[in-house]
Each structure stands twice: as structure tokens, then as C-alpha cells.
Amino acid sequence: MENILLKDNVAGLEGYFACGGYRPLKKALALKPADVIEEVKKSGLRGRGGAGFPTGLKWSFIPKDAPGPRYLVCNADEGEPGTFKDRELLLRNPHALIEGMAIAAYAIGAAHGYIYIRGEFAAEARLLEKAIAEARTKGFIGKNILGSGFDFELFMHSGAGAYICGEETALLESLEGFKGQPRLKPPFPAVKGLFASPTVINNVETLAAVPAIIEKGGEWYASIGTPKSTGTKLFCVSGPVNKPGVYELPLGVTFRDLLEKSCGGMQEGKKIKAVIPGGSSVPVLTAEEAWAVKLDYESLATAGSMLGSGGVIVIDESQCMVKLLQVLARFYHHESCGQCTPCREGCGWIEKILNRFEEGKASVKDIDLLYSVADGMQGRTICPLADAMAMPVMSFVKKFRSEFEAHAAGRCCAPEAGGGH
């Protein structure tokens, strides 16, 4: 199957033109905004940032009679451990994002758009600024785009590397110049978002898929993947595989095919122990579960995990699951904004317990305490960061309890494992 997103030699404007770039924008501008939204609804495109919410439906939530401005915001603050697909898109196909944003802005009636990019993405930011300038010069953004009477100005804003600003309302707070902390919902951004105005926030991968949907039609896009998980997905694979990287494949592909056909299998002498299929915040799968699973929203939910951001982290048998969880806990404790007590205290408490395991000071009771603390965090905070900590903890303890017990007994979890004491 030909890639929709990861095309070769399209970073520059001429290469993008050669692949039919900006034809979809011209086509969209000849339609009514409502018809553009309907085409995206037909496609079944779901948000690729992690939540998987239907994109066209999200656009339709913008109030049709709301006075004042509307805004479109692209979330390019890719901070989920194990995830590096949006970064690859920004490097290889920035004009697809720009065109997708222009089409989305037309559909929702937004005259201004912002790309909130992760502060560490310096090279990507420079390339994106160049691409925005090229698009403006050719009249694809700015005043009276392609003589349609539609105006859309696009700006880029760099964050400062806070994981919490990947949450859409914390991103809006940061974009407005405030401390990046999530907002209470409702009101939702579609009603009261950026500068208290109706706002749509989409991920880089989501918006970059829009031009192809407009060009070839929603039904064409919906024919790819599965009936409920349509289109292609960017999977970023890390760990001891022969060819780690970013791969564009139809949703519903098996993990086995991703690993063996795209990634060239495991490195010599390495054997799978576990897989985190959607970035570090989703429940872990055992090797047996991973080999049997298909990579789409529904199949992974049935398997007890989530597609999330598509960050596939492969863990081999030499790794200690207790040590890996300690590393994750340190990250989430550091990145918690501290606004909600269950998250602020829970992440710190979990890290302290895991430190005890690694220092040889934990007891068997600490295993159930670890699980209990995580369970008490879920669904009790303004944003999902507490859940992002709790879900890995609970799944690691459930599926690899023997390693925690070994640590509590003063032994390394396994003779070949790299952690323990």
C-alpha cells in the first residue's frame, strides 16, 4: 500500500507539489464548510494523539452561531515516552500539516491557527517555519486564499518541554501565556477554548491525513484499515528490534507483521518478554498477548490495553520489569503539574515504593500497596496524567507480580534480568 503520510522527497514545496500537494485545499475551498466536515466524518478518521475521538465529529461541535473568532490549534507537543511519529512527519512532510490545517480552518470557520511545537524540536521548528513561509508566499495561507475570500493566518509557538502541555487544555493555558495546567471541563474547548473562544485542537498526524481524505474521498479512506479503525497509522517502534523506526501501516495490522515484516524481527539472541503498544502510559501486554493482537483501537481494548499514540515499546527478557516501572514512575512524578492531589501525591508515593523495591527495602505488602495507590488515582483528576501513571503500574503488577515478589524477597527478579539488587 502506498503511504499517505510518510512520502519521500516532499519536505520542500516543489516535492510536495509533485505529489499533488495543495490540490485538496483548492478542492475543499470549492465546497461548503459543512460538506468538508461531512467528508471527514465519512472517512472515520479518529484523533491520532491518543484519545481516538472521531475527527469530523469534533469539528462539528463548534457552535454554528457563536459570535466572535474561532481558532484551530495543532498539538505538536509530542512528549509521550516511546513516541516519535509527529517529529518524523514534521521533518518529512510539513506541508501536509499546513494544508490539513488550512482545510480544517475553512471547515470550522477559523481565521487563525497555531502550531504548538515541543521546545526540544529545534530542527523541526526551523523546517516548519520555512514551510509556513513557502505556503504564505504561494497564497496557501494568509489573505484571500486562492481567491476564495477565505483568510487563514498560521503561527508557530514553541513550548518549554512540559509533558503536561500535551494535554489539550494545558496546552491552551500555555499558549495564552499562563502556567501549563489542565482546565476543568466543561466548558470544553469547542465552546470555550483559546482566548475563551470556540477552538478545535488536533494532533499533527490527524491533520496531516486530511488532505488525502479530501483529495480521494472519505469512503476511500474508510476502505483502509478496519470498519471502526479506518485509515493508516504511524507506529513508532523502539527496543531491541533489527529496524526500529516509524512505519505507516493500515490499522488492524497484526503486531507479528509489524515486528517481523517491517522491523526485521528481534535482534539476535533477544526474545520478547512484554510490549507496551501505545506509548508508555498504556497497560503492558505479555509476549503471548502481543503476538496474538491486532493493532487497532478495538482489538487492543479487547486485549486490555490501548492504541494510544502508537508508540510500540518492545521489551526483551533481559529487562527487569520492576526497574522499568521505576523509570516510568520517576518520569510521571517529575511531569505531574501538581494541581490534583491524587496525581501529585500518588505519583510521588508510587516512585517511593518502587525505589524501595530497587533498594532491597520493600516487603510483599508493598506490592498490594503499589496496586492500591494506583487504583485510587484512576479517574479522580482533571486530566489523564494520573491514569497514565496508574495504568502501567496496575498492569505491570498484575502480569509480572513474580518479579515484584522476587525483589521483596531480596532476590533479583530473574537470573538474566538487568535490574534488581
Side-chain angles (χ1 to χ4, degrees), residues 208-356:
V210 170
I213 290 169
I214 299 302
E215 175 77 0
K216 297 185 178 182
E219 291 181 0
W220 163 80
Y221 190 84
S223 71
I224 303 167
T226 74
K228 292 184 178 179
S229 295
T230 63
T232 63
K233 178 81 185 75
L234 298 184
F235 296 99
C236 13
V237 185
S238 58
V241 301
N242 284 313
K243 295 190 295 181
V246 181
Y247 299 93
E248 182 177 2
L249 296 167
L251 280 163
V253 66
T254 64
F255 169 73
R256 185 180 293 275
D257 280 351
L258 172 64
L259 179 66
E260 295 182 346
K261 294 181 180 180
S262 297
C263 301
M266 296 292 287
Q267 293 175 4
E268 188 175 352
K270 301 291 186 180
K271 187 177 178 182
I272 292 180
K273 181 179 192 175
V275 175
I276 302 175
S280 67
S281 62
V282 308
V284 69
L285 299 176
T286 64
E288 184 181 6
E289 290 170 331
W291 283 121
V293 81
K294 292 183 178 180
L295 300 175
D296 60 69
Y297 294 99
E298 289 72 36
S299 297
L300 280 164
T302 300
S305 190
M306 300 166 65
L307 180 66
S309 61
V312 181
I313 305 170
V314 179
I315 301 164
D316 73 273
E317 288 192 331
S318 70
Q319 300 300 310
C320 167
M321 300 304 284
V322 179
K323 179 63 179 177
L324 293 182
L325 189 58
Q326 181 199 32
V327 172
L328 283 182
R330 186 187 310 136
F331 171 80
Y332 286 110
H333 182 204
H334 179 268
E335 295 296 338
S336 173
C337 75
Q339 184 176 195
C340 303
T341 302
C343 183
R344 181 183 66 246
E345 301 301 322
C347 287
W349 197 356
I350 285 172
E351 186 185 2
K352 286 178 183 177
I353 297 170
L354 288 165
N355 288 344
R356 290 206 296 268

Side-chain angles (χ1 to χ4, degrees), residues 348-415:
W349 197 356
I350 285 172
E351 186 185 2
K352 286 178 183 177
I353 297 170
L354 288 165
N355 288 344
R356 290 206 296 268
F357 276 101
E358 283 299 304
E359 292 164 2
K361 299 175 182 177
S363 69
V364 174
K365 290 182 179 179
D366 283 325
I367 303 174
D368 292 328
L369 176 60
L370 192 62
Y371 190 94
S372 176
V373 173
D375 189 34
M377 293 166 61
Q378 275 200 302
R380 292 174 171 86
T381 52
I382 292 174
C383 90
L385 193 146
D387 291 25
M389 175 76 271
M391 288 190 292
V393 169
M394 295 168 76
S395 64
F396 272 55
V397 170
K398 274 184 183 176
K399 297 178 181 181
F400 298 95
R401 187 182 180 95
S402 62
E403 297 194 20
F404 291 87
E405 291 172 344
H407 278 64
R411 305 189 309 272
C412 184
C413 54

